[in-house]
Coordinates of all heavy atoms in Angstrom, one line a residue:
M201 N 0.8 -1.2 0.0 CA 0.0 0.0 0.0 C 0.9 1.3 0.0 O 1.9 1.3 0.7 CB -0.9 0.0 1.3 CG -2.1 -0.8 1.1 SD -3.1 -0.8 2.6 CE -3.8 1.0 2.5
A202 N 0.4 2.2 -0.8 CA 1.2 3.5 -0.8 C 0.9 4.2 0.5 O -0.1 4.1 1.2 CB 0.6 4.4 -1.9
N203 N 1.9 5.0 1.0 CA 1.8 5.7 2.2 C 1.3 7.1 2.0 O 1.9 8.1 2.2 CB 3.2 5.7 2.9 CG 3.2 6.3 4.3 OD1 2.1 6.2 4.9 ND2 4.3 6.7 4.8
L204 N 0.0 7.1 1.6 CA -0.6 8.3 1.3 C -1.1 9.0 2.7 O -1.6 8.3 3.5 CB -1.8 8.2 0.4 CG -1.5 7.7 -1.0 CD1 -2.8 7.4 -1.8 CD2 -0.6 8.8 -1.8
S205 N -1.0 10.2 2.7 CA -1.6 10.9 3.9 C -3.0 11.1 3.6 O -3.5 11.3 2.5 CB -1.0 12.3 4.1 OG -1.3 13.2 3.0
Q206 N -3.9 10.8 4.6 CA -5.3 10.9 4.4 C -5.7 12.4 4.8 O -5.9 12.7 5.9 CB -5.9 9.9 5.5 CG -5.7 8.6 5.2 CD -6.7 7.7 5.9 OE1 -6.9 7.9 7.1 NE2 -7.1 6.5 5.3
E207 N -5.9 13.1 3.7 CA -6.3 14.4 3.8 C -7.7 14.6 3.3 O -8.0 14.2 2.3 CB -5.4 15.4 3.1 CG -5.6 16.8 3.3 CD -4.6 17.8 2.6 OE1 -3.4 17.6 3.0 OE2 -5.0 18.5 1.7
Q208 N -8.6 15.2 4.2 CA -9.9 15.4 3.9 C -10.2 16.9 4.2 O -9.8 17.5 5.2 CB -10.9 14.6 4.7 CG -10.8 13.1 4.4 CD -11.7 12.4 5.3 OE1 -11.4 12.3 6.6 NE2 -12.9 11.9 4.9
T209 N -11.1 17.5 3.4 CA -11.5 18.8 3.6 C -13.0 18.7 3.9 O -13.8 18.2 3.2 CB -11.3 19.7 2.5 OG1 -9.9 19.8 2.3 CG2 -11.9 21.2 2.8
C210 N -13.5 19.3 5.1 CA -14.8 19.2 5.4 C -15.6 20.2 4.5 O -15.3 21.4 4.6 CB -15.0 19.6 6.9 SG -16.8 19.5 7.4
P211 N -16.6 19.6 3.8 CA -17.3 20.5 2.8 C -18.3 21.5 3.5 O -18.6 22.5 3.0 CB -18.0 19.5 2.0 CG -18.2 18.3 2.8 CD -17.0 18.2 3.7
A212 N -18.5 21.1 4.8 CA -19.4 21.9 5.6 C -18.7 23.1 6.2 O -19.1 24.2 6.3 CB -20.2 21.1 6.6
C213 N -17.5 22.8 6.7 CA -16.7 23.7 7.5 C -15.5 24.3 6.7 O -15.0 25.4 7.2 CB -16.3 23.1 8.8 SG -17.4 22.2 9.7
G214 N -15.1 23.7 5.7 CA -14.0 24.2 4.9 C -12.7 24.1 5.6 O -11.6 24.6 5.3
V215 N -12.6 23.1 6.6 CA -11.3 22.9 7.3 C -10.8 21.6 6.9 O -11.5 20.6 6.7 CB -11.7 22.9 8.8 CG1 -10.5 22.5 9.6 CG2 -12.3 24.1 9.2
T216 N -9.5 21.6 6.8 CA -8.7 20.4 6.3 C -8.3 19.6 7.5 O -7.7 20.0 8.5 CB -7.5 20.8 5.4 OG1 -8.0 21.6 4.3 CG2 -6.8 19.6 4.9
V217 N -8.5 18.2 7.4 CA -7.9 17.3 8.4 C -7.0 16.4 7.6 O -7.4 15.7 6.7 CB -9.1 16.4 9.0 CG1 -8.6 15.5 10.0 CG2 -10.2 17.3 9.5
A218 N -5.8 16.3 8.1 CA -4.8 15.4 7.5 C -4.1 14.6 8.6 O -3.6 15.1 9.6 CB -3.6 16.3 6.9
N219 N -4.4 13.3 8.5 CA -3.9 12.3 9.5 C -4.3 12.7 10.9 O -3.5 12.7 11.8 CB -2.3 12.2 9.4 CG -1.9 11.6 8.1 OD1 -2.5 10.6 7.5 ND2 -0.9 12.1 7.6
D220 N -5.6 13.1 11.0 CA -6.2 13.4 12.3 C -5.6 14.7 12.9 O -6.0 15.0 14.0 CB -6.1 12.3 13.3 CG -7.0 11.1 13.0 OD1 -8.1 11.4 12.4 OD2 -6.7 10.0 13.5
V221 N -4.8 15.5 12.1 CA -4.5 16.8 12.5 C -5.3 17.8 11.6 O -5.3 17.8 10.4 CB -2.9 17.0 12.3 CG1 -2.5 18.5 12.6 CG2 -2.1 16.0 13.1
V222 N -5.9 18.7 12.4 CA -6.8 19.7 11.7 C -6.0 21.0 11.5 O -5.3 21.5 12.3 CB -8.0 20.0 12.7 CG1 -8.8 21.1 12.0 CG2 -8.8 18.7 13.0
Q223 N -6.1 21.4 10.3 CA -5.6 22.7 9.9 C -6.5 23.8 9.8 O -7.3 23.7 8.9 CB -4.8 22.4 8.5 CG -4.0 23.7 8.0 CD -2.7 23.9 8.8 OE1 -2.0 23.0 8.9 NE2 -2.6 25.1 9.3
F224 N -6.5 24.7 10.7 CA -7.5 25.7 10.7 C -7.1 26.8 9.7 O -5.9 27.0 9.3 CB -7.5 26.4 12.1 CG -8.3 25.4 13.1 CD1 -7.5 24.6 14.0 CD2 -9.6 25.3 13.1 CE1 -8.1 23.8 14.9 CE2 -10.2 24.4 14.0 CZ -9.5 23.7 14.9
S225 N -8.0 27.6 9.3 CA -7.9 28.6 8.2 C -6.9 29.7 8.7 O -6.3 30.4 7.9 CB -9.2 29.2 7.8 OG -9.9 29.7 8.9
N226 N -6.8 29.9 10.0 CA -5.9 30.9 10.6 C -4.4 30.4 10.7 O -3.6 31.2 11.2 CB -6.4 31.5 11.9 CG -6.3 30.4 13.0 OD1 -5.9 29.3 12.8 ND2 -6.8 30.8 14.1
G227 N -4.2 29.2 10.2 CA -2.8 28.7 10.2 C -2.5 27.8 11.4 O -1.5 27.1 11.3
S228 N -3.3 27.7 12.4 CA -3.1 26.9 13.5 C -3.5 25.6 13.3 O -4.4 25.3 12.4 CB -3.7 27.5 14.8 OG -5.1 27.5 14.7
T229 N -3.1 24.6 14.1 CA -3.4 23.2 14.0 C -4.2 22.7 15.2 O -3.9 23.3 16.3 CB -2.4 22.3 13.7 OG1 -1.3 22.4 14.6 CG2 -1.7 22.6 12.3
G230 N -4.9 21.7 15.2 CA -5.5 21.1 16.4 C -6.0 19.8 16.2 O -5.8 19.1 15.2
T231 N -6.8 19.3 17.1 CA -7.4 18.0 17.0 C -8.8 18.0 16.5 O -9.4 19.1 16.2 CB -7.5 17.3 18.4 OG1 -8.3 18.2 19.2 CG2 -6.1 17.3 19.1
R232 N -9.3 16.8 16.1 CA -10.6 16.7 15.6 C -11.6 17.2 16.7 O -12.7 17.8 16.4 CB -11.0 15.2 15.4 CG -10.5 14.8 14.0 CD -10.8 13.4 13.8 NE -10.3 12.8 12.5 CZ -11.0 12.7 11.4 NH1 -12.2 13.2 11.5 NH2 -10.5 12.2 10.4
A233 N -11.2 17.0 18.0 CA -12.1 17.5 19.1 C -12.2 19.0 19.0 O -13.3 19.6 19.3 CB -11.5 17.0 20.3
R234 N -11.0 19.6 18.8 CA -11.0 21.1 18.8 C -11.8 21.6 17.6 O -12.5 22.6 17.7 CB -9.6 21.6 18.7 CG -9.4 23.0 18.6 CD -8.1 23.5 18.9 NE -7.7 23.2 20.3 CZ -6.5 23.5 20.9 NH1 -5.6 24.2 20.2 NH2 -6.3 23.2 22.1
L235 N -11.7 20.9 16.4 CA -12.5 21.3 15.2 C -14.0 21.2 15.5 O -14.7 22.1 15.2 CB -12.1 20.4 14.1 CG -12.9 20.6 12.8 CD1 -12.9 22.0 12.3 CD2 -12.6 19.5 11.8
Y236 N -14.3 20.2 16.2 CA -15.7 19.9 16.5 C -16.3 21.0 17.5 O -17.3 21.6 17.3 CB -15.9 18.6 17.2 CG -17.4 18.3 17.5 CD1 -18.3 17.9 16.4 CD2 -17.9 18.4 18.7 CE1 -19.6 17.7 16.7 CE2 -19.2 18.2 19.0 CZ -20.0 17.8 18.0 OH -21.4 17.6 18.3
A237 N -15.4 21.3 18.5 CA -15.8 22.3 19.5 C -15.9 23.6 18.9 O -16.8 24.4 19.4 CB -14.8 22.2 20.6
R238 N -15.1 24.0 18.0 CA -15.0 25.4 17.5 C -15.9 25.5 16.2 O -16.3 26.7 16.0 CB -13.6 25.8 17.2 CG -12.8 25.7 18.5 CD -11.4 26.4 18.4 NE -10.8 26.5 19.6 CZ -9.6 26.9 19.8 NH1 -8.9 27.5 18.7 NH2 -9.1 27.0 21.0
V239 N -16.1 24.5 15.5 CA -16.7 24.7 14.2 C -17.9 23.8 13.9 O -19.1 24.2 13.7 CB -15.7 24.6 13.0 CG1 -16.4 24.8 11.6 CG2 -14.5 25.5 13.1
C240 N -17.6 22.5 14.0 CA -18.6 21.5 13.5 C -19.9 21.5 14.3 O -21.0 21.3 13.8 CB -18.0 20.1 13.4 SG -16.6 20.1 12.2
Q241 N -19.7 21.7 15.6 CA -20.9 21.6 16.5 C -21.9 22.7 16.1 O -23.1 22.6 16.4 CB -20.6 21.5 17.9 CG -20.1 22.9 18.4 CD -20.1 23.1 19.9 OE1 -21.0 22.4 20.5 NE2 -19.2 23.7 20.6
Y242 N -21.4 23.8 15.6 CA -22.2 24.9 15.2 C -22.7 24.8 13.8 O -23.8 25.2 13.4 CB -21.4 26.2 15.3 CG -20.9 26.5 16.7 CD1 -19.6 26.5 17.0 CD2 -21.8 26.7 17.8 CE1 -19.1 26.6 18.3 CE2 -21.4 26.9 19.1 CZ -20.0 26.8 19.3 OH -19.5 27.0 20.6
A243 N -21.8 24.2 12.9 CA -22.3 24.0 11.5 C -23.5 23.1 11.4 O -24.4 23.3 10.7 CB -21.1 23.4 10.7
K244 N -23.5 22.0 12.2 CA -24.6 21.0 12.2 C -25.2 20.7 10.8 O -26.3 20.8 10.5 CB -25.7 21.5 13.0 CG -25.4 21.4 14.5 CD -26.6 22.0 15.3 CE -26.3 21.9 16.8 NZ -27.1 22.7 17.7
K245 N -24.2 20.3 9.9 CA -24.6 20.0 8.5 C -24.4 18.5 8.3 O -23.3 17.9 8.7 CB -23.8 20.8 7.6 CG -24.3 22.3 7.6 CD -23.5 23.1 6.5 CE -24.0 24.6 6.7 NZ -23.1 25.4 5.8
P246 N -25.2 17.8 7.6 CA -25.1 16.4 7.3 C -23.9 16.1 6.6 O -23.3 14.9 6.8 CB -26.4 16.0 6.6 CG -26.9 17.3 6.1 CD -26.5 18.3 7.1
E247 N -23.3 17.0 5.7 CA -22.1 16.7 5.0 C -20.9 16.9 5.7 O -19.8 16.6 5.2 CB -22.2 17.5 3.6 CG -22.1 18.9 3.9 CD -23.4 19.6 3.8 OE1 -24.3 19.0 4.4 OE2 -23.5 20.8 3.3
C248 N -21.0 17.4 7.0 CA -19.7 17.6 7.8 C -19.1 16.2 8.0 O -19.6 15.3 8.4 CB -20.1 18.2 9.1 SG -18.8 18.5 10.2
I249 N -17.7 16.2 7.8 CA -17.0 14.9 8.0 C -16.6 14.6 9.3 O -16.0 13.7 9.7 CB -15.7 14.9 7.1 CG1 -14.8 16.1 7.5 CG2 -16.1 15.0 5.6 CD1 -13.4 16.0 6.8
N250 N -16.8 15.7 10.3 CA -16.4 15.5 11.7 C -17.5 15.4 12.6 O -17.6 16.2 13.5 CB -15.5 16.7 12.0 CG -14.7 16.5 13.2 OD1 -14.1 15.5 13.5 ND2 -14.4 17.5 14.0
Q251 N -18.3 14.3 12.4 CA -19.5 14.1 13.2 C -19.4 12.8 14.0 O -20.2 12.5 14.8 CB -20.7 14.1 12.4 CG -21.0 15.4 11.7 CD -21.5 16.5 12.6 OE1 -22.2 16.2 13.6 NE2 -21.2 17.7 12.3
D252 N -18.3 12.1 13.7 CA -18.1 10.8 14.4 C -17.6 10.8 15.8 O -16.3 11.2 16.0 CB -17.2 9.8 13.5 CG -17.3 8.4 14.0 OD1 -17.5 8.2 15.2 OD2 -17.0 7.6 13.1
K253 N -18.3 10.6 16.8 CA -17.9 10.8 18.2 C -16.6 10.0 18.5 O -15.8 10.4 19.3 CB -19.0 10.5 19.1 CG -20.1 11.4 19.1 CD -19.9 12.5 20.1 CE -20.7 13.8 20.1 NZ -22.1 13.5 19.9
E254 N -16.6 8.7 17.8 CA -15.4 7.9 18.1 C -14.1 8.5 17.6 O -13.0 8.2 18.1 CB -15.6 6.5 17.6 CG -16.7 5.8 18.4 CD -16.7 4.3 17.9 OE1 -15.8 3.8 17.2 OE2 -17.6 3.6 18.4
L255 N -14.2 9.2 16.5 CA -13.0 9.9 15.9 C -12.8 11.1 16.6 O -11.5 11.6 16.8 CB -13.3 10.2 14.4 CG -13.2 9.0 13.5 CD1 -13.6 9.4 12.0 CD2 -11.9 8.3 13.5
I256 N -13.8 11.9 17.0 CA -13.6 13.1 17.6 C -12.9 12.9 19.1 O -12.1 13.7 19.4 CB -15.0 13.9 17.9 CG1 -15.5 14.2 16.5 CG2 -14.8 15.1 18.7 CD1 -16.9 14.6 16.5
G257 N -13.4 11.9 19.8 CA -12.9 11.7 21.1 C -13.3 12.7 22.1 O -14.5 13.3 22.0
V258 N -12.6 12.9 23.1 CA -13.0 13.7 24.2 C -12.6 15.2 23.9 O -11.6 15.5 23.5 CB -12.2 13.4 25.5 CG1 -12.6 14.3 26.6 CG2 -12.5 12.0 25.9
V259 N -13.6 16.0 24.1 CA -13.5 17.4 23.8 C -13.1 18.2 25.2 O -14.0 18.0 26.1 CB -14.7 18.1 23.2 CG1 -14.6 19.6 23.1 CG2 -15.1 17.5 21.9
L260 N -12.0 18.8 25.2 CA -11.6 19.5 26.4 C -12.1 20.9 26.5 O -12.4 21.4 25.4 CB -10.0 19.4 26.5 CG -9.4 18.1 26.3 CD1 -7.9 18.2 26.3 CD2 -9.8 17.2 27.5
H261 N -12.1 21.4 27.6 CA -12.5 22.8 27.8 C -11.7 23.7 26.9 O -12.2 24.6 26.3 CB -12.4 23.3 29.2 CG -13.6 22.9 30.0 ND1 -14.9 23.4 29.8 CD2 -13.8 21.8 31.0 CE1 -15.7 22.7 30.7 NE2 -15.1 21.9 31.4
E262 N -10.4 23.5 26.8 CA -9.5 24.3 26.2 C -9.7 24.1 24.7 O -9.2 25.0 23.9 CB -8.1 23.9 26.5 CG -7.6 22.6 26.1 CD -6.5 22.0 26.9 OE1 -6.5 22.1 28.1 OE2 -5.5 21.6 26.3
D263 N -10.4 23.2 24.3 CA -10.7 23.0 22.8 C -11.8 24.0 22.3 O -12.0 24.1 21.1 CB -11.1 21.6 22.5 CG -10.0 20.7 22.6 OD1 -8.9 21.0 22.3 OD2 -10.2 19.5 23.0
G264 N -12.4 24.7 23.2 CA -13.3 25.7 22.7 C -14.6 25.7 23.5 O -15.4 26.7 23.1
F265 N -14.9 24.8 24.3 CA -16.2 24.9 25.1 C -15.9 25.9 26.1 O -15.3 25.6 27.2 CB -16.5 23.6 25.6 CG -17.2 22.7 24.7 CD1 -16.8 21.4 24.5 CD2 -18.4 23.1 23.9 CE1 -17.4 20.6 23.6 CE2 -18.9 22.4 23.1 CZ -18.5 21.0 22.8
M266 N -16.3 27.2 25.9 CA -16.0 28.2 26.8 C -16.9 28.1 28.1 O -18.0 27.9 27.9 CB -16.2 29.5 26.3 CG -15.3 29.8 25.1 SD -13.6 29.8 25.5 CE -12.9 30.2 24.0
E267 N -16.3 28.2 29.2 CA -17.2 28.2 30.4 C -17.7 29.6 30.5 O -17.2 30.6 30.0 CB -16.4 28.0 31.7 CG -15.8 26.5 31.7 CD -15.2 26.2 33.1 OE1 -15.8 26.4 34.2 OE2 -14.0 26.0 33.0
A268 N -19.0 29.7 31.1 CA -19.6 30.9 31.2 C -18.7 31.9 32.0 O -18.2 31.5 33.1 CB -21.0 30.9 31.8
P269 N -18.5 33.1 31.5 CA -17.6 34.0 32.4 C -18.4 34.3 33.7 O -19.6 34.4 33.8 CB -17.5 35.2 31.5 CG -18.7 35.2 30.6 CD -19.0 33.7 30.4
P270 N -17.6 34.6 34.8 CA -18.2 34.9 36.0 C -19.0 36.3 35.9 O -18.5 37.2 35.3 CB -17.1 35.0 36.9 CG -15.8 35.3 36.1 CD -16.1 34.5 34.8
I271 N -20.2 36.2 36.4 CA -20.9 37.3 36.4 C -20.9 38.1 37.6 O -21.1 37.6 38.7 CB -22.5 37.0 36.1 CG1 -22.6 36.3 34.8 CG2 -23.4 38.2 36.1 CD1 -23.9 35.7 34.5
K272 N -20.5 39.4 37.5 CA -20.4 40.2 38.7 C -21.7 40.9 39.0 O -22.3 41.5 38.2 CB -19.3 41.3 38.5 CG -17.9 40.9 38.6 CD -17.0 42.0 38.7 CE -15.5 41.5 39.0 NZ -14.5 42.6 38.8
L273 N -22.1 40.5 40.1 CA -23.5 41.1 40.6 C -23.2 42.3 41.7 O -22.2 42.2 42.3 CB -24.4 40.1 41.2 CG -24.8 38.9 40.3 CD1 -25.6 37.8 41.0 CD2 -25.6 39.5 39.2
G274 N -24.0 43.1 41.6 CA -24.0 44.2 42.6 C -23.3 45.4 42.0 O -23.0 46.3 42.7
Ligands
ZN267 ZN1 -17.1 20.0 9.9

């Protein structure tokens, strides 16, 4: 078998995934979990390639699920 890199571009989000490394449009890289947290969960399109929970794995807070900022009362 040829040693091809598995590069896919999500047609819904426009983000490239190569060998499970996500290349964001701003030049940074991340995991599928980060892509999901920041883009795919909002896109919610059936053609999105990053909807498989087993591939996405665990999404960490630092991947983009922002905690609600503390609200100052008073
Ligand atoms: Zn996507």
Side-chain angles (χ1 to χ4, degrees):
M201 279 180 68
N203 190 20
L204 296 171
S205 65
Q206 292 192 324
E207 185 171 301
Q208 291 179 287
T209 300
C210 181
C213 309
V215 176
T216 301
V217 182
N219 296 320
D220 287 336
V221 176
V222 176
Q223 183 72 54
F224 289 99
S225 57
N226 67 2
S228 65
T229 56
T231 60
R232 283 177 181 269
R234 179 162 294 182
L235 171 63
Y236 182 78
R238 296 192 176 178
V239 184
C240 297
Q241 69 162 331
Y242 302 113
K244 286 182 179 160
K245 292 182 180 171
E247 63 267 37
C248 178
I249 62 170
N250 196 37
Q251 298 285 329
D252 189 334
K253 287 266 162 60
E254 290 193 8
L255 289 175
I256 293 167
V258 178
V259 177
L260 305 174
H261 278 290
E262 67 203 48
D263 288 330
F265 281 126
M266 300 298 181
E267 290 187 61
I271 299 169
K272 280 188 177 177
L273 295 175

